[in-house]
Amino acid sequence: MKKSLLALAVLGAFAGAAQAQSSVTIYGIIDTGVTYTSKAQTTNAPGVTGINTGSKFAMNSGVIQGSRIGFKGVEDLGGGLSAVFNLETGFNNDNGALNGQDPGTTNLFRRKSVVGLAGGFGSVLLGRQTDWADTISAYTAVADFGGVIQNSGSNLNRLQGVRTNNSISYTTNNLSGFTGNLMYGFGETAGKTSAGQSFGLGGKYDNGPLGLGINYYQSKQGPTPSDTSLLANAAPLSTVVGAANAGASAAKVLNVVASYQFGPARVYGNYSRVKQDLNTVAVTGLTDATRVTGATLGLSKKADMYELGTAYSLTPSLKLLGSVQYTRADFDGLSGKGKLTQFNLGTDYWLSKRTDLYAFVSNLRAKDMKNPGVYADTTGNDASQTAVTVGIRHKF
């Protein structure tokens, strides 16, 4: 009897040690808002002629942060080395559908799918992941307004978080406030390594109230581009994605961001430049007279983006928010510059550490280019659109 009890005690000790050395965490976000949008243009049902334009009420999933569920784990391998993984899928909780699939794919863990090693040297991750622009977006209005501001430029400049397939990244540990990152995406094209490849270099510096960040990302055209933004732009770029352009630079993105905490107020600003060298024929058929109805940021050859904003903590639970985004875009073969300006006001109230209520009002104005709409609802020929959203977010 004593030997049996001793054996059970030893087995229990081993089981406890094994559990202490490895762990898996399930986490997620559910974010849903109700939005009123002025001057919204929506697609009509098949066979219905005319344009369906007017005010619109809608329920939107992932207003500030995309709704998601994820799994992350770590196993202690000894000697300060750990095996790590992270799987994360997005969904629309207003209808239960998977969210944001790459064109022509049915990928499940589309938000993140990585495995790697971590230790005193930093971490190395392999799989599908965002570049460093997603990390330093914590210093920008993306942290407060999320997807509300994506159409004014932060989706194009990658601050909203764009994925890179078939990628490997290295991130240093915190070195006296500095953290650096390197990324490389494989184009997986036989006989031409440069086709579809991408690479990124970034860093951030945290020192008390000061936060600074910089990132550069470049991707190249190819039949299987690692940069998923090229998959999203496949239709407008269909005339330039042929074999003759494989390996040519398709996107070059630079982000410089800064944030400073003045007591209860966080003040921030950033600048981004996006160059899309292959956008030389995508606006064929447009003229300066028709650009307002046809030219979008995704078709621009070069875009410069500026942002200023603040988040003021009125109480520990209540924040008042404000930001302005301004973008100037050049289109090949067209004179002048298209301009987008977005003004945002908002409030965020935390009911607990995991649940908050928010309310936003945004106005997006376009000049000499198409207005993309605050929530991807186009405004036709009208230069201004306003959207008001109230919503709830829960983290688990």
Side-chain angles (χ1 to χ4, degrees):
M1 182 68 178
K2 292 182 179 179
K3 290 183 178 181
S4 298
L5 291 174
L6 180 60
L8 287 173
V10 171
L11 287 173
F14 274 115
Q19 186 166 354
Q21 291 175 356
S22 63
S23 64
V24 176
T25 302
I26 301 175
Y27 66 93
I29 298 173
I30 305 175
D31 182 344
T32 309
V34 176
T35 301
Y36 164 81
T37 306
S38 71
K39 303 170 185 176
Q41 177 179 309
T42 58
T43 303
N44 287 320
V48 178
T49 59
I51 299 176
N52 183 14
T53 304
S55 59
K56 175 184 176 182
F57 285 92
M59 181 174 290
N60 295 303
S61 176
V63 175
I64 304 178
Q65 292 180 282
S67 297
R68 69 196 70 173
I69 185 168
F71 309 86
K72 58 183 177 181
V74 56
E75 180 187 14
D76 188 354
L77 301 176
L81 184 66
S82 298
V84 295
F85 77 88
N86 196 176
L87 301 173
E88 189 174 286
T89 187
F91 61 92
N92 298 324
N93 59 289
D94 53 344
N95 59 18
L98 289 176
N99 170 263
Q101 300 301 310
D102 294 338
T105 69
T106 56
N107 50 336
L108 175 59
F109 294 108
R110 50 86 46 190
R111 292 190 58 88
K112 186 175 291 184
S113 176
V114 294
V115 64
L117 297 173
F121 58 88
S123 63
V124 176
L125 300 177
L126 295 86
R128 177 182 169 98
Q129 55 197 310
T130 55
D131 60 90
W132 201 242
D134 185 40
T135 300
I136 63 176
S137 69
Y139 301 132
T140 74
V142 173
D144 297 321
F145 292 96
V148 175
I149 61 169
Q150 65 180 353
N151 286 346
S152 59
S154 58
N155 204 26
L156 185 65
N157 67 22
R158 309 184 74 86
L159 289 176
Q160 290 286 344
V162 183
R163 277 78 190 172
T164 299
N165 287 334
N166 309 313
S167 62
I168 179 170
S169 72
Y170 167 67
T171 304
T172 70
N173 287 330
N174 188 310
L175 306 172
S176 301
F178 174 80
T179 308
N181 174 267
L182 292 170
M183 170 182 276
Y184 180 80
F186 295 86
E188 298 188 335
T189 300
K192 195 169 182 111
T193 303
S194 62
Q197 74 175 4
S198 60
F199 53 87
L201 171 65
K204 68 171 185 172
Y205 177 71
D206 291 294
N207 186 356
L210 176 65
L212 302 173
I214 188 170
N215 184 62
Y216 178 77
Y217 184 93
Q218 181 173 332
S219 58
K220 298 183 179 182
Q221 195 56 261
T224 56
S226 55
D227 178 7
T228 59
S229 70
L230 300 184
L231 292 171
N233 287 335
L237 292 176
S238 59
T239 57
V240 294
V241 297
N245 291 293
S249 294
K252 301 174 184 176
V253 183
L254 173 67
N255 315 104
V256 181
V257 306
S259 173
Y260 196 87
Q261 189 76 36
F262 292 94
R266 181 176 73 94
V267 179
Y268 55 86
N270 65 76
Y271 165 75
S272 296
R273 166 166 284 189
V274 178
K275 295 186 68 177
Q276 301 177 102
D277 295 339
L278 295 181
N279 279 5
T280 58
V281 296
V283 292
T284 297
L286 288 180
T287 66
D288 287 325
T290 62
R291 168 169 44 184
V292 68
T293 59
T296 65
L297 273 184
L299 299 178
S300 63
K301 190 173 183 180
K302 182 180 74 173
D304 292 297
M305 306 165 190
Y306 307 84
E307 176 183 80
L308 289 174
T310 185
Y312 184 87
S313 296
L314 199 62
T315 71
S317 300
L318 178 63
K319 283 186 178 181
L320 303 180
L321 311 170
S323 70
V324 179
Q325 290 79 36
Y326 175 69
T327 296
R328 295 182 304 180
D330 293 325
F331 300 92
D332 188 66
L334 302 180
S335 62
K337 296 178 182 290
K339 299 179 180 66
L340 291 175
T341 306
Q342 183 164 340
F343 301 92
N344 310 280
L345 292 175
T347 182
D348 194 0
Y349 181 71
W350 288 88
L351 300 171
S352 68
K353 291 183 178 180
R354 298 188 299 171
T355 304
D356 62 319
L357 303 175
Y358 55 82
F360 303 132
V361 57
S362 299
N363 178 257
L364 179 56
R365 303 179 182 184
K367 182 178 180 181
D368 295 329
M369 66 177 292
K370 187 175 183 177
N371 191 321
V374 177
Y375 284 99
D377 297 311
T378 60
T379 59
N381 292 328
D382 197 278
S384 176
Q385 186 189 69
T386 299
V388 179
T389 297
V390 293
I392 183 171
R393 173 177 53 175
H394 176 74
K395 301 181 180 182
F396 62 89

